[in-house]
Amino acid sequence: MSRYQTFINKYPLYAETALLDELRAGDYARLDREGHVYLDYTGGGLYAQSQIEAHFALLREHVYGNPHSSNPTSMAATRLVEETRAAVLAFFHADPDEYDVIFTQNASGALKLIGESYPFDANSRYLLLFDNHNSVQGIREYAHARGADVTYIPVALPDLRIPADRLQAALDAPAPDGHNLFAYPAQSNFSGVQHDLSWIEYALQRGWDVLLDAAAFVPTNRLDLSQVKPDFVSLSFYKIFGYPTGIGALVARREALAKLRRPWFAGGTITVVSVQAERYYLAEGHAAFEEGTVNYLGIPAVKIGLDHIQRIGYERIHNRVAALTGWLLDEMSALRHPNGAPAVKIYGPTEITARGGTIAFNFYTAEGQPVPHTEVEAAANRHNISLRTGCFCNPGAGEIALQLSKPELAACFAQPGHDQRLSMKDFRNCFDQKATGAVRVSVGLASNFADVEAFLHFARHFIRLK
């Protein structure tokens, strides 16, 4: 029996995703034309040729101007921006009377808006997981600066999931006289773990505002905001469909948005401002948060991308990603050295239940020593395989997965010369014989069986050299 038939027997839903093979041969033909194995979908999605053509046709055939006016080209641009805003709400099944959309540079830009505008004070709490992107972690600096309490909940080995009892206890104890913000990812960008969305309602019922980082989740899973209702959702559109880059969104409940307090004003965010009287009046809703001129030529490409995903269907994308991820997990877990020692250590779940298409791991030698992740990336580059290495802007999950302890980290940071600057090379030198980063492969809507087989062939060849 062929390996493909074995794969189909184990993951039969893959056979129902044939439309994606047709798209691969057309919209994504450049992958096979260049002989490229792309396994970095958590880093960035790939755009379809049809998306680019539709966007270029729009720009080629019409004239659009800065929206902040009422002339014909400005109104034409405004119409496309607002159509896209409505399309984003519809895509996530968000009631426009309940939710608003703020266009940002990316998910990090959306998170920065929350950090600088959330009404933290000495009576407030900021609760978050170890397993969060750096841009969620960074909000703690705004909280600290205003005297708020910052509490971390670790994730637990081996699956890197939330210890339910610890999170429940923390959510049961909001600050009684202040604002309380709970932030967590729908899916880990480190391990692929999908954290339970039921924590949203649990937290809301106890008086928390909830910030859901959906950037790693929504490329292959539907987020339905008619069923779960976080106060704030951050995302980047290029993660979902590759193009355009430089545009993200904060999808926010209007009631929660009204709590935010902007620390400054800028063009586009005000209705009236006076120099002599030193007064200003902020605009309402999304306009108060979209600083300067929005990317009015790029934003229409977001609607084109959303339409592309809708035509494919989330179920089809999800099923393909789950099947390919399952096969990778099975095959990687089985890799052994001639002496029987495991050649791969996977960080996170080794089953496909409640996990996405992101796999973090390290190769190990037959003697049990980690292979430097930089060495793996260099070897993969020579085989035209795009993967990612490091901590993936998620140091908390990495510290747990790689078992880097707080005393070890503190000792590293306290070394001479490390008070202001610390390079990754210096950081690695702090930890003798320990991995300080990992390798990450991730699959997405344009991935196929040949991609994962090419990686597995590379992996088998790589470990033979170790």
Side-chain angles (χ1 to χ4, degrees), residues 21-36:
D21 291 316
E22 296 175 20
L23 287 172
R24 170 74 174 243
D27 260 341
Y28 303 94
R30 63 189 183 278
L31 282 168
D32 298 312
R33 188 167 57 244
E34 296 183 2
H36 204 100

Side-chain angles (χ1 to χ4, degrees), residues 156-170:
L157 293 170
D159 283 356
L160 301 179
R161 297 192 186 277
I162 306 170
D165 56 339
R166 293 191 63 170
L167 180 56
Q168 182 175 330

Side-chain angles (χ1 to χ4, degrees), residues 117 119 179 231-232 252-262 285 289:
S117 303
H179 295 281
D231 295 285
F232 308 105
R253 290 180 59 240
R254 294 179 183 276
E255 182 180 344
L257 202 59
K259 294 182 182 180
L260 303 186
R261 297 291 178 264
R262 300 307 315 280
F289 296 87

Side-chain angles (χ1 to χ4, degrees), residues 140-156:
R140 77 184 185 196
E141 300 305 308
Y142 290 105
H144 281 314
R146 298 171 198 157
D149 174 77
V150 176
T151 302
Y152 275 105
I153 302 296
V155 288

Side-chain angles (χ1 to χ4, degrees), residues 112-243:
K112 185 173 185 290
L113 283 178
I114 299 297
E116 68 183 17
S117 303
Y118 193 78
F120 290 118
D121 59 25
N123 297 315
S124 300
R125 287 194 71 190
Y126 181 40
L127 176 67
L128 68 165
L129 307 185
F130 273 47
D131 186 11
N132 265 309
H133 190 278
N134 268 338
S135 299
V136 179
Q137 307 282 9
I139 294 174
R140 77 184 185 196
E141 300 305 308
Y142 290 105
H144 281 314
R146 298 171 198 157
D149 174 77
V150 176
T151 302
Y152 275 105
I153 302 296
V155 288
L157 293 170
D159 283 356
L160 301 179
R161 297 192 186 277
I162 306 170
D165 56 339
R166 293 191 63 170
L167 180 56
Q168 182 175 330
L171 290 173
D172 286 344
D177 301 316
H179 295 281
N180 297 276
L181 180 64
F182 169 49
Y184 79 112
Q187 178 175 312
S188 172
N189 74 313
F190 183 95
S191 66
V193 164
Q194 292 178 343
H195 298 297
D196 195 340
L197 297 183
S198 68
W199 288 114
I200 297 170
E201 181 60 26
Y202 190 89
L204 292 173
Q205 289 178 352
R206 284 152 182 79
W208 293 84
D209 297 317
V210 178
L211 167 57
L212 185 73
D213 179 12
F217 181 80
V218 291
T220 60
N221 304 272
R222 177 170 290 286
L223 178 63
D224 187 339
L225 294 179
S226 71
Q227 299 300 311
V228 294
K229 295 182 179 292
D231 295 285
F232 308 105
V233 179
S234 58
L235 56 97
S236 289
F237 292 109
Y238 78 94
K239 300 274 190 181
I240 308 174
F241 40 74
Y243 177 85

